[in-house]
Amino acid sequence: MIFERSTDPESRRDRRNKAVVVLAAACGFLMATDIAFASNWTIGLNSGSSGEAQSGNVANLTIAAVASPSPTNLLYPGNSGDVVLTISNPNNYPVTVSALQFPSNLTGAAGYSSSSLSALSAEVLCNAALSGVTWTYSTVTSGASHTLATPLVIGASGDSNNPLTVTLTNYAAMSSSSPAACENSFFSMPSLASVTASAGGSTVTTSPTVDS
């Protein structure tokens, strides 16, 4: 390599710096040669090598009474009526509900006045023991299951369709012996025994929806 001749001290420092650069470049070349040689060796993998994944928590769904929309089919003695409810999914993934399990029909629904519907707190004379209002699919033994006409996919927490509002067509039944005190009442249905649900779902069900 040719350097420009100079007697200036600054130029001599420049030459020293250039020499350092050349030396560093030479070392770099030698190191690169070593790496190229090593890359021809076969490198394997220790047995048992792995990566880590983690599963999330699973939280239960919440089913609750809701005042709106109003049931289309109303109860009267000896007939069936609609039940309106919401299903809330606290998980960060969709959940598909395919069936409902019901409590024993030995437990009736308590009747409330229309003015207390939002809180369902002021029980009227049509109490649970006398109302004769039960789930249509209940039996004497708790746990009777009914498959929904179409599975319900409740969106993940934060989804606009969570909670999902559902009208269950004719899911409530009123006994023919239901007393007059149960006229013009709203009923808090006995808590469901369980649901059949699984994680995931391709298309989230739009709220409100109807299962008939």
Side-chain angles (χ1 to χ4, degrees), residues 75 112-114 124 180-187:
L75 289 167
Y112 299 82
S113 64
S114 58
V124 296
C182 292
E183 183 180 351
N184 195 30
S185 295
F186 297 82
F187 297 91

Side-chain angles (χ1 to χ4, degrees), residues 90-175:
N91 297 290
N92 60 359
Y93 47 82
V95 171
T96 299
V97 176
S98 56
L100 305 177
Q101 285 78 51
F102 299 93
S104 169
N105 59 14
L106 298 179
T107 301
Y112 299 82
S113 64
S114 58
S115 62
S116 65
L117 175 61
S118 60
L120 291 178
S121 59
E123 187 172 347
V124 296
L125 293 178
C126 181
N127 58 46
L130 300 174
S131 71
V133 175
T134 60
W135 289 98
T136 301
Y137 301 101
S138 289
T139 61
V140 173
T141 303
S142 177
S145 184
H146 175 71
T147 301
L148 299 174
T150 303
L152 302 172
V153 181
I154 300 89
S157 59
D159 189 282
S160 59
N161 294 295
N162 178 20
L164 177 68
T165 300
V166 185
T167 295
L168 302 173
T169 305
N170 292 326
Y171 270 56
M174 177 177 270
S175 169

Side-chain angles (χ1 to χ4, degrees), residues 177-204:
S177 60
S178 182
C182 292
E183 183 180 351
N184 195 30
S185 295
F186 297 82
F187 297 91
S188 176
M189 300 300 293
S191 298
L192 292 170
S194 185
V195 297
T196 300
S198 58
S202 55
T203 303
V204 173

Side-chain angles (χ1 to χ4, degrees), residues 39 65 74 80 90 153:
S39 67
L74 302 182
S80 300
V153 181

Side-chain angles (χ1 to χ4, degrees), residues 65-80:
V66 63
S68 180
S70 299
T72 299
N73 301 309
L74 302 182
L75 289 167
Y76 59 87
N79 212 329
S80 300

